[in-house]
């Protein structure tokens, strides 16, 4: 997905507070330059409007990955290998950014596949939806 073998990975994810996970994880080039490749954040700052902003900016709706979840992904028009996705479920928010993918690959498909893999597990214990994350609202 990043085209990098043996990246440096730091961080933590899936610690629970008040029913919502939190944490951050990042992968970097192994060269010591700290060039970020991938960044994942799980926190309790989620709101449906954040996903709507991705859509307004040209993003694409993600099919429901988790029950009551709402998400989208967007590619950076200036950097073809940069893609970001956001999934909210209640107040839980999962943000995944492929900072630097591989030129010539379908980086959006790679990121969506990763989100489909990790979102159900990371958002499994999320609190019930807040009023602003219900469909239609």
């Amino acid at each position: 997905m990043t085209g990098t073998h043996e990246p440096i990975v730091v961080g933590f994810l899936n610690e629970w507070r008040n029913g919502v996970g939190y944490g951050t994880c990042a992968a970097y080039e192994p060269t010591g330059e700290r060039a970020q490749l991938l960044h994942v954040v799980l926190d309790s700052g989620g709101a449906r409007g954040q996903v709507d902003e991705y859509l307004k900016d040209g993003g694409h709706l993600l099919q429901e990955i988790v029950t009551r979840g709402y998400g989208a992904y967007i590619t950076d028009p200036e950097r073809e290998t940069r893609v970001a996705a956001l999934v909210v479920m209640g107040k839980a928010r999962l943000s995944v950014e492929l900072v630097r993918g591989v030129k010539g690959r379908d980086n959006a498909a790679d990121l969506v596949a990763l989100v489909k893999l990790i979102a159900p597990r990371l958002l499994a214990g999320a609190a019930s939806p807040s009023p602003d994350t219900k469909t239609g609202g």
Side-chain angles (χ1 to χ4, degrees):
M1 181 171 167
T2 64
T4 301
H5 297 284
E6 299 182 28
I8 297 168
V9 180
V10 296
F12 65 95
L13 285 172
N14 210 17
E15 299 292 327
W16 293 93
R17 287 187 181 166
N18 300 323
V20 178
Y22 70 96
T24 185
C25 182
Y28 297 90
E29 282 282 357
T31 59
E33 297 174 16
R34 300 292 283 184
Q36 195 173 61
L37 302 167
L38 180 70
H39 190 213
V40 179
V41 176
L42 178 66
D43 64 18
S44 61
R48 183 181 177 97
Q50 295 165 335
V51 175
D52 290 336
E53 286 300 316
Y54 268 48
L55 297 172
K56 286 179 190 173
D57 290 341
H60 305 277
L61 188 64
L62 288 170
Q63 296 301 319
E64 187 174 278
I65 294 172
V66 292
T67 303
R68 299 182 332 264
Y70 183 59
Y73 69 94
I74 191 166
T75 57
D76 185 333
E78 295 178 18
R79 292 180 51 204
E80 68 181 80
T81 64
R82 188 176 196 149
V83 185
L86 181 67
V87 178
V88 296
M89 186 175 106
K91 291 184 180 188
R93 173 176 57 189
L94 175 63
S95 172
V96 183
E97 181 181 10
L98 178 58
V99 178
R100 195 186 78 220
V102 179
K103 192 170 186 152
R105 284 190 58 90
D106 186 344
N107 292 290
D110 287 345
L111 184 71
V112 169
L114 176 63
V115 171
K116 286 181 179 180
L117 181 68
I118 66 174
R121 182 174 179 151
L122 293 176
L123 297 172
S128 59
S130 62
D132 67 339
T133 59
K134 291 181 182 172
T135 304

